[in-house]
Amino acid sequence: MPIVSELMTEDDLGTADPRCQLVLLLDTSTSMGINRGPNLPLAIDELNRGLQTLHTELGEDPVARRRVELLVVPFGGSVSPLGSWQMARDWVAPTLTAGGGTPMGEAVLTGLRLATERRRQCQADGTLTYRPWVFLLTDGEPTDDVTSVPSAIAEAQEKKRAIFWSVAAKGADVRVLQEFDPTKPALRLDEANWSSLFEWLSASMTQITKAQPDQQVPLDPWLITA
Amino acid sequence: MAHHRLTGDPTASAVADQAAPVPAGAGDVGYYAVAASVIGTAHLNKGTERQDRLLMADVAGDLVICLADGLSTAVYGGLGAETAVREAFTLLSGCGHSGQASSPDDGTHPDRLPLRVLPAAHPAVPVDWSTALRSAITAARSAVLRRGGSPSDFNTTLTVVVVTADAIHVAQVGDGFVVVWDREASDRARVLAHEVVSAEDDPSLVVPLTAPNALASMLTESAPLTETSHVLVSSDGIAPLLLERWVPLVPSVKFLRALIRELDTGKMNHAGLADFLESTLVNSRTDDDKTVVLARHEPLGAAAWTDPSPHPTPADVSCVADNEPFGTERATGLSEALLVPPNHLVTGVLQQPVPDEQSQNADSDAPEFGSHTSQPTPGGSANHGRGALGERAPHGKRLPQAEAPKESHLQAEPDKDVPAPMERQVGWHDMSGAAPGTAFESPSEVATVEVASALSRQLAGAGGSDTAPQPAAGVTEPSGSDPSIPQWPDEELSRSGQRPGDSDQPSEVVASEGGMPLPGCDGEMRPSGLGGRRRREEPDGKLRWLWKWLTRGGR
């Protein structure tokens, strides 16, 4: 006797997967392309490899790949999102190049806005959403005005519109990042941990998408060492 | 209204042995129900157990379903769920009972057969199901709180459903799904008693059964059923497949149609449904536990009763392995229901000794408690479902002690570092020695009395007797939401789970085979309800039962 699973296809199923937005605010300023020493790869190359890792890791989880939505917002000279929101299963890791200043303040405000807008759009469509993640990675210090950033982050987190994370690669101004969000430490990224960072990011998103949308998920604390 | 009883597979030879032929006349309707509960891949990967719990059975012709989903964030979510479904099921299985319950016995494994519910030969007691369901949830909440420790450790949802001949009644705390639709117009599918609770920018907040506002957040709803209605009851594990939209809730018509297609063509049975829920197709969409009950509400005639074609044969469902480990990963269909026949107390949770068969036969209307040896229930744990079947004695007979199944999940101490969940004490619940007028201390017992009192009133109103028993003096029937429910945190509950006066003696899980019949049940009903004749119960006997049940605190 045929069992029911053999007679049903993906087209027979509903499509009410909850969604979790992930905004990647990635520093692509000139400093990311500077040679940091003998036998050390460029930071921008490490970043690109990390994005590939994220793509691979997320793609391997059947649930996360249907629930995580990504948007890459590089900031190097200007702030410009790469394309539109993509489901993890459809997302292709971009290859970024370094150049320009570090408009970090504008990038953070843009990321918070885009995450909030996307979440509201999903909710308007009747889709459940997890709290979006806005994930900032930089190796420098801001070259624009960042005075409004702390309050914007605080408001977004207090109103549960987004969760903000900042990661300081070598050369970053950790003090500034800490001022952005005093509620939790800025994460420090060691030279050898680029790949692990994105593995952790993927694992965190996977973990989140398997929880209730409002549930606080304890994350692997390995990186929270600052 | 037509009423129903569980008679098993119509192809079964035992059908011919039924004491009273089933009068499937015009207007009679019955059910064809399949059910399965499988573990989610997230729990598999973590090495944890399935936390969904399901009890489903025919109760005097009405289909009673109790489904709980232990929250994954709770340390003992599965235990909380198990406690909740058992408590709720115990209460509901005593409602409206006409003494005509039985379980199928066709010589095959009951797990392999769909649940077939057919009109009862005798009218059952009319029941205010809405009140009964609310009371069942109230009592279940109290039972979970009584487990001791931190209530949040046992967080669970609870959905209770009764499908009668012409209506469905639902009550729930949490986020289970009950969908009703018509096979002629499945685009009109409705989700009953469910709302997506939202805080600011935080959708889908789940209020667990143990939360202080659980009873206030309880949702109830009733809806009429037509002769072409279908019913789906599920935990939230299949929500991404079941729904097209969350807000407002919009069921996926294509998914429902696909299920209907398989159910209506007879291609789906318990094992088939479980296989589907475990399939890659489903697991690619959800990693949560998945529990589904699918029932077809259909008119019955002689043809439907005698035509065996829609029903799978045991060979067709051989994928159900009898020797599967006694585990908690998967449970299908009738297994749990049959292990807990509706005419028996679910004593695995109640921790109450039961009379042996001899004493039961000696005084079928008033079995005595407290003086008989308890025995483990073969497969008495709700979560052990299908795995328990391999250890179930044929025809419901007791297993020798040496072959007793593994320790009930309820008995197991999950983690020695954490206070053991409270085992209910015999003395606490055994009210047999209490004189009328003894005040009840347990919120659950008061809630139980509430159900029983409502029953007694309805019994009287149904013409069963002019002398309906009154609740014992000193028992205050709760009014309003439920003042008897302890506040959270309940200071009366010690970390050890002991209440003042509780015995230190641990209780046992006792056999359901010889369990105490519930009010309205025939005291001479054979333990397993398999085949054989059943004595028709007289109204007076029913009331006597009720009174004795009341004086025992509803146990």
Side-chain angles (χ1 to χ4, degrees), chain A residues 1-18 61-67 116 119-120 123-131 158-161 206-207 209-216, chain B residues 42 45 72-73 175 196 200-206 236 239-248 252 254-255 258-259 261-262 266-269 272-273 275-276 279 281-288 312 316-317:
Chain A
M1 167 182 285
I3 58 174
V4 67
S5 57
E6 294 174 343
L7 303 175
M8 296 181 78
T9 66
E10 180 72 33
D11 292 337
D12 290 323
L13 307 182
T15 57
D17 295 286
D61 188 279
V63 175
R65 67 198 301 267
R66 294 185 61 94
R67 298 188 178 185
T116 303
R119 191 186 193 198
R120 284 179 177 160
Q123 290 175 342
D125 292 338
T127 302
L128 284 190
T129 58
Y130 300 89
R131 205 174 306 174
E158 284 175 9
K159 294 186 176 179
K160 299 182 179 180
R161 292 174 182 162
T206 299
Q207 198 169 350
T209 55
K210 292 175 180 177
Q212 292 292 329
D214 65 307
Q215 180 182 326
Q216 294 295 320
Chain B
N45 293 336
S72 58
T73 51
D175 57 358
V196 178
E200 183 180 0
D201 287 324
D202 252 337
S204 188
L205 295 175
V206 177
D236 70 330
L241 296 66
L242 176 64
L243 300 176
E244 290 294 343
R245 285 176 65 108
W246 280 92
V247 184
S252 170
K254 55 188 180 183
F255 181 61
L259 289 176
R261 184 180 64 214
E262 305 311 320
K267 294 176 180 175
M268 185 192 295
N269 50 34
L273 179 58
D275 288 342
F276 168 64
S279 67
L281 180 67
V282 174
N283 284 336
S284 67
R285 300 291 302 280
T286 175
D287 59 357
D288 198 0
D316 290 328
V317 290

Side-chain angles (χ1 to χ4, degrees), chain B residues 28-207:
Chain B
D28 284 338
V29 290
Y31 316 106
Y32 179 91
V34 295
S37 179
V38 303
I39 190 171
T41 54
H43 289 153
L44 279 176
N45 293 336
K46 293 177 183 174
T48 53
E49 294 181 334
R50 177 170 57 91
Q51 293 181 312
D52 280 4
R53 295 292 188 273
L54 170 69
L55 281 173
M56 175 184 81
D58 166 76
V59 176
D62 295 324
L63 183 62
V64 172
I65 302 163
C66 299
L67 168 61
D69 176 4
L71 270 58
S72 58
T73 51
V75 180
Y76 307 126
L79 285 175
E82 185 157 336
T83 304
V85 295
R86 285 183 175 277
E87 187 77 9
F89 187 83
T90 299
L91 287 177
L92 293 175
S93 61
C95 293
H97 210 288
S98 65
Q100 292 298 319
S102 65
S103 52
D105 177 22
D106 61 350
T108 63
H109 208 294
D111 182 39
R112 296 171 173 171
L113 298 173
L115 176 65
R116 192 81 180 190
V117 183
L118 293 173
H122 309 287
V125 179
V127 173
D128 177 0
W129 280 117
S130 179
T131 300
L133 292 176
R134 293 182 68 90
S135 299
I137 285 186
T138 300
R141 178 176 183 271
S142 298
V144 175
L145 289 174
R146 278 199 309 276
R147 293 201 66 91
S150 170
S152 60
D153 286 347
F154 299 92
N155 274 348
T156 181
T157 69
L158 178 59
T159 304
V160 288
V161 180
V162 173
V163 183
T164 67
D166 54 8
I168 180 171
H169 309 275
V170 183
Q172 81 161 324
V173 172
D175 57 358
F177 288 92
V178 180
V179 184
V180 175
W181 74 101
D182 193 300
R183 66 170 169 240
E184 305 298 333
S186 57
D187 55 333
R188 290 204 295 268
R190 288 184 56 208
V191 179
L192 303 181
H194 189 116
E195 66 179 12
V196 178
V197 182
S198 297
E200 183 180 0
D201 287 324
D202 252 337
S204 188
L205 295 175
V206 177
V207 177

Side-chain angles (χ1 to χ4, degrees), chain B residues 412-498:
Chain B
E413 188 173 335
D415 188 341
K416 293 181 179 178
D417 295 330
V418 181
M422 177 181 180
E423 295 292 351
R424 294 170 63 174
Q425 303 298 311
V426 172
W428 177 253
H429 294 285
D430 182 3
M431 301 297 289
S432 58
T438 301
F440 291 88
E441 298 178 71
S442 161
S444 176
E445 286 160 359
V446 176
T448 303
V449 169
E450 182 184 23
V451 175
S453 300
L455 257 178
S456 68
R457 287 191 294 271
Q458 292 182 32
L459 280 169
S465 169
D466 294 332
T467 57
Q470 298 300 314
V475 176
T476 304
E477 292 191 38
S479 59
S481 58
D482 183 22
S484 63
I485 297 303
Q487 296 302 306
W488 187 33
D490 181 3
E491 296 180 356
E492 291 184 36
L493 295 175
S494 65
R495 292 294 293 177
S496 65
Q498 297 285 322

Side-chain angles (χ1 to χ4, degrees), chain A residues 14-62:
Chain A
T15 57
D17 295 286
R19 302 292 168 80
C20 183
Q21 288 78 37
L22 171 62
V23 181
L24 295 172
L25 304 177
L26 304 177
D27 187 347
T28 56
S29 62
T30 302
S31 61
M32 292 287 287
I34 294 177
N35 192 334
R36 295 171 293 165
N39 301 323
L40 283 179
L42 299 179
I44 193 70
D45 293 337
E46 292 275 30
L47 176 59
N48 286 328
R49 275 192 286 272
L51 291 174
Q52 290 291 344
T53 300
L54 180 63
H55 171 262
T56 302
E57 297 277 333
L58 279 180
E60 288 179 352
D61 188 279

Side-chain angles (χ1 to χ4, degrees), chain A residues 107-123:
Chain A
V108 173
L109 297 177
T110 300
L112 292 173
R113 176 177 56 79
L114 290 172
T116 303
E117 289 177 354
R118 177 60 182 169
R119 191 186 193 198
R120 284 179 177 160
Q121 181 184 347
C122 287
Q123 290 175 342

